Amino acid sequence: MQAKVTKNINNTLAGSSSREWAALLQCASPHTDISILSPLLREVSWPALFTLAQEHGVISLLASSMAQFEENLAPPEFVDKIRELHRTQVLSALQMTAELFRLVDQFRDAGLDAVLVKGPILALRAYGNTGARQYGDLDFVVRQKDVLRATELMISSGYQPEMPVEAISPQKIPGQYVFVRTAAPLLVELHTERTMRYFPRGLPIEEFFARRQYVSVDGHHIPALAIEDELILICIHGAKHLWERLSMVADVAAYVIRQTSLNWERSYATARAAGAERMLNTGLLLARNLLGATLPQTVQARLKSDRSASQLAADIARWLPSGGRTSPGLFSRALYRVRMRGPVFSGLGYLLRLTFSPTQEDWAPGVEKEHDGHLAALRRPVRLAKKYRGKKS
């Protein structure tokens, strides 16, 4: 099995025109091969590697890989920069984890269901440490019917909502409900079955809540998604962002390697129910092909049979090294959404829903009339066209 892993990574390295990118792939792999990484780190441009690691959100993985070498392969100034950024990230994670405990207790005391996703819980499940990956906020899933009560709770906890309480209505659903702590900078985002637009068939929130698990974090029991549901979520999240950062692929690779009790049949059943099977396959193909993640034979067979996912993964692998700087233009992005959802008619329906589902960015300032939702739906494609017209397809 390890021979296949090394072969996958070596094929990726052979096709790379950048030593820095090849080195970063090795650092992000759950099966880092020191015999390959060592000579690469001796030959890279450290300013380029440092910038690339920052762009892709994998400074911590670079730092962890460098710690495996007795000698410093990097110039002292870059060793210091990497260590300082990693230290800052770990301190930030500690602060957010402490705040997580406080918020979970307050949600529990208020009798309000809230499940933590991504952030520290993903870091723990994928890497075994809440400070092992980069994240800048805390993300909770709550029911849409509880949003107003959750907003009031967040305000009483010292947070300022980005969306005023009086603006919360069924006609205006933002991309997420964002809260900023006023005492010290910290972001919290609340997601609901209505805000998670990128779920092709809608977030099955009641099923997710019914399957929730409690994860021990420093002695605190934190409500989280079932491991199979979290895998689907991070693959849909990666698809939403066109897998523009290596950190998204690294999370999937580390997650499937570490979560040995993962029930693959349940994961695929959930993905099919959500219309996200191709998104799951694409994420797994990227984790396998780029980072050498080992997968069960039954999963390998599923991936082999999904030719569209294989083509998508190949396309993504071509633009991924740019870190989003040369991501697809408007037409290519639209085609990507169709292909990612598949088949064609389902993909077109998915694209249309995303195109005409307004978020707060599409609402005219100060407009509070109910019918403004229709105007915002028409404004959204215009805004998207302006946003992406400068990018090459």
Side-chain angles (χ1 to χ4, degrees):
M1 183 66 75
Q2 185 60 42
K4 291 182 180 179
V5 171
T6 303
K7 182 179 179 181
N8 277 337
I9 297 179
N10 284 339
N11 288 341
T12 301
L13 299 183
S16 174
S17 59
S18 163
R19 290 191 183 94
E20 293 74 33
W21 180 242
L24 207 60
L25 290 178
Q26 277 293 331
C27 292
S29 170
H31 304 290
T32 302
D33 189 331
I34 298 300
S35 67
I36 294 175
L37 181 58
S38 178
L40 283 170
L41 291 181
R42 295 176 189 281
E43 298 173 359
V44 297
S45 161
W46 277 95
L49 179 62
F50 179 75
T51 299
L52 201 61
Q54 281 189 297
E55 289 178 343
H56 283 276
V58 291
I59 282 288
S60 63
L61 299 180
L62 175 59
S64 296
S65 294
M66 290 173 62
Q68 297 183 60
F69 296 96
E70 292 184 3
E71 58 180 317
N72 288 328
L73 301 181
E77 63 269 27
F78 286 101
V79 173
D80 292 341
K81 284 182 180 181
I82 292 167
R83 285 176 177 169
E84 182 58 30
L85 281 176
H86 187 214
R87 178 177 175 277
T88 300
Q89 177 182 314
V90 170
L91 289 176
S92 174
L94 288 172
Q95 292 170 350
M96 279 191 275
T97 302
E99 181 65 2
L100 166 65
F101 299 154
R102 186 176 78 94
L103 290 175
V104 165
D105 287 343
Q106 291 189 343
F107 283 132
R108 186 179 294 123
D109 292 344
L112 196 153
D113 279 336
V115 171
L116 183 71
V117 296
K118 298 184 296 180
I121 210 73
L122 176 55
L124 186 64
R125 283 174 158 178
Y127 304 100
N129 188 323
T130 57
R133 66 182 292 272
Q134 183 178 323
Y135 50 93
D137 56 20
L138 296 173
D139 295 88
F140 291 92
V141 173
V142 301
R143 295 179 177 89
Q144 184 67 42
K145 67 182 181 65
D146 291 331
V147 161
L148 184 56
R149 193 153 63 97
T151 297
E152 292 168 348
L153 187 150
M154 293 298 296
I155 292 172
S156 69
S157 299
Y159 285 81
Q160 183 66 39
E162 185 179 84
M163 185 177 184
V165 176
E166 56 272 16
I168 296 176
S169 71
Q171 288 75 35
K172 292 187 174 183
I173 306 296
Q176 57 273 321
Y177 295 90
V178 180
F179 301 85
V180 181
R181 189 172 63 182
T182 52
L186 195 148
L187 277 178
V188 173
E189 294 184 357
L190 299 184
H191 307 269
T192 76
E193 68 271 25
R194 295 285 303 281
T195 67
M196 287 192 167
R197 293 171 168 82
Y198 285 86
F199 268 72
R201 290 182 185 151
L203 175 70
I205 194 164
E206 294 304 331
E207 295 176 23
F208 275 22
F209 272 116
R211 291 193 293 261
R212 87 189 84 177
Q213 299 172 346
Y214 288 86
V215 179
S216 179
V217 181
D218 293 335
H220 294 257
H221 297 294
I222 305 301
L225 296 180
I227 57 174
E228 293 81 10
D229 295 338
E230 183 86 27
L231 175 60
I232 304 304
L233 182 87
I234 62 176
C235 285
I236 292 176
H237 181 258
K240 170 187 174 181
H241 293 287
L242 280 70
W243 299 96
E244 288 179 339
R245 303 182 87 198
L246 183 59
S247 59
M248 298 175 185
V249 182
D251 287 345
V252 175
Y255 193 91
V256 298
I257 292 300
R258 192 173 184 85
Q259 295 303 315
T260 55
S261 63
L262 196 148
N263 185 322
W264 285 101
E265 287 301 320
R266 188 180 301 163
S267 284
Y268 270 97
T270 301
R272 281 194 301 274
E277 190 168 6
R278 185 162 294 164
M279 296 180 184
L280 173 60
N281 283 343
T282 303
L284 294 174
L285 280 163
L286 289 169
R288 185 195 69 182
N289 296 348
L290 292 177
L291 302 181
T294 50
L295 299 167
Q297 288 301 316
T298 54
V299 176
Q300 298 274 20
R302 289 179 186 271
L303 300 182
K304 186 176 181 180
S305 66
D306 193 342
R307 294 184 180 180
S308 295
S310 295
Q311 185 58 56
L312 278 165
D315 292 342
I316 292 163
R318 281 195 293 272
W319 74 60
L320 181 60
S322 71
R325 283 177 281 110
T326 58
S327 59
L330 184 63
F331 176 77
S332 294
R333 293 176 81 91
L335 182 59
Y336 167 88
R337 301 291 181 205
V338 173
R339 294 167 62 202
M340 183 60 73
R341 172 62 179 89
V344 174
F345 287 111
S346 297
L348 287 172
Y350 179 60
L351 174 64
L352 289 172
R353 178 164 64 80
L354 294 179
T355 302
F356 291 99
S357 296
T359 64
Q360 66 271 33
E361 293 176 280
D362 306 297
W363 300 327
V367 178
E368 300 297 335
K369 295 179 182 179
E370 249 181 60
H371 66 263
D372 184 55
H374 301 295
L375 297 176
L378 294 175
R379 280 193 294 268
R380 179 169 173 78
V382 175
R383 181 180 67 80
L384 293 175
K386 289 179 179 178
K387 181 178 180 180
Y388 296 112
R389 68 184 175 187
K391 297 200 174 190
K392 295 179 181 180
S393 294

